[in-house]
Amino acid sequence: RIPVRIPAKAGIVPLKASLFECGQFGTVNGDTVTVRVPGKAGITNQTRGANLRLDTRELAGKQVIFRAQMRTRNVESDAKGEHVGAKILAISTVYDIAYYYFTPSVTGSQDWQEVSANCNFAKAQDSMQIIFGIQQAWGEVDFRNISLEIVSQPELLNVEVPKNFQCEYSSKVRSM
């Protein structure tokens, strides 16, 4: 499937559920993306779900916020950690270094709630993978009212530093 091209103008862009590649664990029903991961003790640290394929060239150098309403049902794991549970996860690769952006992970059963993940698209973006799913856990999660918001980035200030400039640190910082 060809990645979806998003115009880089600032603003909110609704994303249809049909834009997702659902694979083994996801389904689309109307405007809702559902991910169901069967229970398995010792499940690996992988995020299973529906992938959003975006052409990120137009988003280079922008801040993007992925938003959705999320509902969970019986999301559980035998692993511990803040990363375990239902979430939106974006993995950005720049010069072979991976950067992770994500919503807080949710376990258990919760009714619809707003979630968002802020991502900074580098100017030298190699790739971006956006997964709406469940990491190192099992259960069911629904996502609806999915959108992304492109936030215009202010240009960095061009400040001249005086010749022989040297930072001064407080005694507290120096003692660390």
Side-chain angles (χ1 to χ4, degrees), residues 107-123:
T107 56
S109 297
Q110 294 191 16
D111 205 1
W112 293 107
Q113 61 182 315
E114 298 283 334
V115 294
S116 63
N118 295 335
C119 307
N120 291 311
F121 282 77
K123 291 193 180 206

Side-chain angles (χ1 to χ4, degrees), residues 8-9 15 40 53 56 59 95 102 107 114 124 128 133 140 145 149 151-152 164 168 170 172 174:
K9 292 184 210 169
L15 299 172
K40 177 181 178 186
R53 297 207 14 131
T56 60
L59 302 175
Y95 298 121
F102 46 88
T107 56
E114 298 283 334
M128 174 65 85
E140 188 171 328
N145 298 324
E149 180 179 1
V151 180
S152 292
N164 299 322
E168 292 185 33
S170 70
K172 185 174 182 176
R174 286 193 306 264

Side-chain angles (χ1 to χ4, degrees), residues 141-154:
V141 60
D142 296 315
F143 296 95
R144 70 178 184 193
N145 298 324
I146 302 165
S147 66
L148 65 81
E149 180 179 1
I150 301 169
V151 180
S152 292
Q153 294 273 60

Side-chain angles (χ1 to χ4, degrees), residues 38-135:
K40 177 181 178 186
I43 196 164
T44 62
N45 184 15
Q46 181 180 9
T47 303
R48 294 164 176 84
N51 291 310
L52 178 61
R53 297 207 14 131
L54 295 178
D55 180 340
T56 60
R57 289 177 291 183
E58 296 288 327
L59 302 175
K62 303 278 193 248
Q63 178 184 3
V64 177
I65 303 170
F66 292 96
R67 300 180 194 280
Q69 290 179 322
M70 181 174 80
R71 173 177 62 187
T72 58
R73 286 182 297 288
N74 303 316
V75 175
E76 305 297 336
S77 179
D78 55 4
K80 301 285 184 232
E82 293 180 353
H83 67 284
V84 174
K87 67 172 84 178
I88 301 171
L89 170 66
I91 306 167
S92 168
T93 306
V94 180
Y95 298 121
D96 295 327
I97 299 171
Y99 298 89
Y100 299 89
Y101 307 94
F102 46 88
T103 62
S105 298
V106 176
T107 56
S109 297
Q110 294 191 16
D111 205 1
W112 293 107
Q113 61 182 315
E114 298 283 334
V115 294
S116 63
N118 295 335
C119 307
N120 291 311
F121 282 77
K123 291 193 180 206
Q125 192 77 36
D126 295 335
S127 68
M128 174 65 85
Q129 181 181 16
I130 301 99
I131 307 166
F132 287 64
I134 300 173
Q135 182 173 357

Side-chain angles (χ1 to χ4, degrees), residues 1 16 19-20 25 35 58 62 72 74 85 88 90 92 96 129 148 156 161 169 173 176:
R1 178 185 261 190
K16 296 181 181 196
L19 297 175
F20 287 81
F25 301 102
V35 175
E58 296 288 327
K62 303 278 193 248
T72 58
N74 303 316
I88 301 171
S92 168
D96 295 327
Q129 181 181 16
L148 65 81
L156 294 176
V161 177
Y169 297 101
V173 171
M176 295 177 97

